[in-house]
Amino acid sequence: MSAIADEQIPNLRRGFRFQWEPAQQAHVLLYPEGMIKLNEAAALILELVDGERHVAAIVDTLRTRFDNVPGIREDILEFLEVAHGNHWLEFR
Amino acid sequence: MVTTGSNSARTPGPPLWLLAELTYRCPLQCPYCSNPLDFAAQGGELSTAEWIDVFRQARELGAAQLGLSGGEPLVRQDLVELIRAARELGYYSNLITSGIGLTEAKVAAFAEAGLDHIQISFQAADEELNNLLAGSGKAYAQKVAMARAVKAHGYPMVLNFVTHRHNIDRIDRIIELCIELEADYVELATCQFYGWAQLNRAGLLPSKAQLERAERITNEYRERLRVQGHPCKLIFVTPDYYEERPKACMNGWGSLFLDITPDGTALPCHSARQLPIRFPNVREHSIRHIWQESSGFNRFRGYDWMPEPCRSCDEKEKDFGGCRCQAFLLTGDAANPDPVCAKSDRHDLILDARREAQEAAPALEQLQFRNEKASRLICKG
Ligand code: SF4
Ligand code: SF4
């Protein structure tokens, strides 16, 4: 897979829904006949995946929110890559 | 496919999956068919309001995935209303249909009401499946047309094929068709051997060689799709008759799956109705009571019910002793270990079945023929 560029815009694949589940006290990703329980970090990123923000904006937002913790950009890119590889999201 | 859930007898986790079997009616049921259907004796279908109340109660307990199935759910005139209610409650709703009775207008109306996904099942009688593979037949044309409509309206789509010894050798053509129809997921599931399929097991169970070939071809397609970055996912479900360990049936009894039948009976799995257990009904009890307190749902929860060799087996947390229905059907006692397990003292039953599939499989014409209705009941994946 080619590296993710800053100006790419991720969006959830059609049929995927991201939502908070009180019973599980977690965000989940719902898709046809399946569900993935997300950890907090994944949920923070996916919350910002709205089909409008590009990658750089997502990184900036979280960087500000988390006071420039080292390695945050790499973590985000890695997650997006995995999510893309699993076909949870698409880039435009 | 859901990966969470607990199997503790004390505090069951949420019923993450709610299957609403809205009706046992089916347009394919011949009007002159006088088969007394089991459900006819059991009281009428739940009303719209009753279903919505079931949805609400289960959602409060944590259900997130909702399957709308049947019978043929399209027979229900209130489907749009049910879909809308499900969406408002926050469900991810899946319509599981044969595609018969579906129209482009309905596909659009369901989308507008908030339906998330449509699965078209090719779980038809053998004759019809043959039509399909031969590329002719009305049902085939209808299913294909509806698959195209489903995609055109932006839904993700699962195509479900029930395979058996008479069609599994055409698996390449099945996969080609699914890719052409732009299926997002393809379920290639070997017929489960409950009910009618049990009677016909020898005529349906593929041989080991057939299975291995089908799996190899599926893997070749998977690799091809992966290289192309193609999103279509192939799910190949083997019958556990060729395994030495059973499947973790439903991820454990009463662990995450709740099935409500048309008359409101609550089951831990759609096959469980045949067990000699009295299951609770939503007309008499709350879903909370049914899920947490009822004896039916607690019957095989956890590990305390297990006899040997399961009880002291270090694999019990992996497979929960296998499938209760299979144990019941094959050994006469639902509390026995699933005979698929090589440690079961009735594993010979499985070995016999394999031998039968190898040597003495009846021809297609010798299958105990059944009406469409019956054939649909068995082949639920
Ligand atoms: S003995 Fe029971 S628990 Fe152990 S592997 Fe076999 S079925 Fe599973
Ligand atoms: S034990 Fe029964 S309920 Fe469980 S999967 Fe098997 S058939 Fe279904």
Side-chain angles (χ1 to χ4, degrees):
Chain A
M1 195 184 320
S2 52
I4 298 171
D6 272 355
E7 65 283 358
Q8 280 185 298
I9 300 174
N11 200 9
L12 284 184
R13 178 168 161 207
R14 258 177 163 178
F16 278 65
R17 203 156 88 211
F18 170 76
Q19 72 185 29
W20 171 255
E21 283 298 302
Q24 300 177 60
Q25 284 296 300
H27 281 93
V28 299
L29 202 53
L30 292 156
Y31 56 93
E33 296 172 22
M35 169 162 50
I36 297 154
K37 193 169 168 179
L38 299 163
N39 63 26
E40 248 175 275
L44 284 167
I45 300 168
L46 282 183
E47 235 165 12
L48 299 174
V49 169
D50 58 3
E52 286 172 21
R53 281 192 186 80
H54 47 62
V55 170
I58 292 172
V59 171
D60 280 349
T61 307
L62 290 174
R63 208 182 246 154
T64 314
R65 181 125 47 110
F66 292 94
D67 247 0
N68 285 312
V69 259
I72 193 168
R73 181 186 155 81
E74 288 67 30
D75 288 349
I76 295 168
L77 291 184
E78 192 188 320
F79 173 78
L80 289 177
E81 208 156 308
V82 170
H84 183 242
N86 288 335
H87 301 287
W88 299 348
L89 48 81
E90 288 158 351
F91 283 109
R92 135 170 102 76
Chain B
M1 273 190 258
V2 179
T3 49
T4 49
S6 90
N7 198 51
S8 147
R10 296 286 149 262
T11 43
L16 298 176
W17 239 110
L18 175 64
L19 179 66
E21 296 188 275
L22 297 176
T23 179
Y24 281 142
R25 287 174 288 158
C26 172
L28 299 180
Q29 182 73 53
C30 305
Y32 49 80
C33 169
S34 59
N35 280 5
L37 294 172
D38 166 54
F39 76 92
Q42 317 238 355
E45 286 176 12
L46 296 184
S47 68
T48 310
E50 283 174 314
W51 273 120
I52 292 175
D53 191 45
V54 166
F55 295 174
R56 186 186 52 72
Q57 291 186 55
R59 181 80 185 120
E60 272 166 22
L61 284 185
Q65 283 282 355
L66 172 65
L68 302 166
S69 87
E72 175 48 69
L74 294 169
V75 171
R76 290 282 301 212
Q77 297 303 310
D78 55 356
L79 203 45
V80 167
E81 213 175 321
L82 295 176
I83 289 167
R84 199 180 305 282
R87 183 68 191 86
E88 275 162 18
L89 288 164
Y91 278 105
Y92 190 96
S93 55
N94 307 269
L95 177 66
I96 299 158
T97 172
S98 69
I100 308 299
L102 198 57
T103 60
E104 181 124 24
K106 284 187 189 172
V107 169
F110 296 159
E112 190 273 324
L115 182 66
D116 290 289
H117 150 237
I118 297 182
Q119 169 181 317
I120 298 183
S121 299
F122 289 77
Q123 52 194 174
D126 300 293
E127 195 186 10
E128 194 180 337
L129 206 34
N130 281 346
N131 283 347
L132 183 160
L133 291 168
S136 68
K138 240 164 71 186
Y140 169 79
Q142 164 71 6
K143 283 168 195 278
V144 167
M146 285 308 111
R148 294 197 203 283
V150 164
K151 287 303 290 189
H153 283 268
Y155 291 99
M157 179 170 73
V158 175
L159 293 182
N160 173 288
F161 272 85
V162 175
T163 62
H164 48 72
R165 64 182 299 127
H166 301 291
N167 67 10
I168 197 167
D169 292 335
R170 323 286 282 272
I171 197 148
D172 51 336
R173 295 185 56 186
I174 295 176
I175 296 174
E176 292 281 351
L177 173 67
C178 294
I179 294 174
E180 192 214 311
L181 291 172
E182 296 175 64
D184 296 274
Y185 304 85
V186 179
E187 288 173 4
L188 304 159
T190 328
C191 202
Q192 294 184 44
F193 298 105
Y194 312 117
W196 285 82
Q198 175 67 19
L199 289 179
N200 289 324
R201 189 185 65 203
L204 293 171
L205 184 63
S207 72
K208 182 144 204 212
Q210 281 185 303
L211 263 181
E212 283 171 353
R213 178 178 173 275
E215 197 158 16
R216 175 174 55 71
I217 292 172
T218 306
N219 283 332
E220 286 165 13
Y221 274 99
R222 278 184 182 140
E223 182 55 21
R224 224 179 287 174
L225 292 167
R226 195 189 61 77
V227 169
Q228 295 168 14
H230 195 295
C232 178
K233 188 167 171 193
L234 305 179
I235 299 153
F236 188 85
V237 185
T238 54
D240 51 9
Y241 272 60
Y242 290 103
E243 310 285 343
E244 300 303 315
R245 288 291 180 273
K247 295 194 164 139
C249 191
M250 308 311 288
N251 205 39
W253 181 272
S255 142
L256 48 82
F257 192 83
L258 173 61
D259 175 18
I260 309 293
T261 65
D263 70 359
T265 305
L267 303 173
C269 157
H270 50 248
S271 300
R273 177 163 232 162
Q274 62 194 316
L275 297 177
I277 293 176
R278 228 189 125 253
F279 286 103
N281 191 294
V282 299
R283 283 179 166 141
E284 285 154 26
H285 300 285
S286 70
I287 302 277
R288 183 176 297 278
H289 169 89
I290 287 169
W291 184 253
Q292 295 177 350
E293 320 282 343
S294 74
S295 59
F297 276 75
N298 281 311
R299 178 67 186 83
F300 299 113
R301 265 201 185 118
Y303 307 102
D304 292 346
W305 60 272
M306 286 182 171
E308 293 297 347
C310 296
R311 179 178 282 269
S312 51
C313 177
D314 60 3
E315 294 175 68
K316 68 183 175 198
E317 286 167 38
K318 250 195 291 181
D319 63 36
F320 315 109
C323 175
R324 295 306 89 226
C325 301
Q326 191 148 277
F328 175 70
L329 270 172
L330 295 180
T331 74
D333 183 352
N336 276 335
D338 187 332
V340 162
C341 183
K343 295 185 190 180
S344 154
D345 58 7
R346 300 314 317 275
H347 189 56
D348 57 304
L349 294 165
I350 298 293
L351 298 179
D352 287 348
R354 285 185 207 164
R355 207 167 309 118
E356 232 174 31
Q358 197 60 45
E359 292 159 9
L364 188 55
E365 312 78 66
Q366 288 166 347
L367 291 188
Q368 171 132 4
F369 266 96
R370 60 235 173 205
N371 60 32
E372 297 277 352
K373 177 74 218 167
S375 81
R376 292 162 43 76
L377 286 174
I378 44 170
C379 285
K380 275 184 186 167

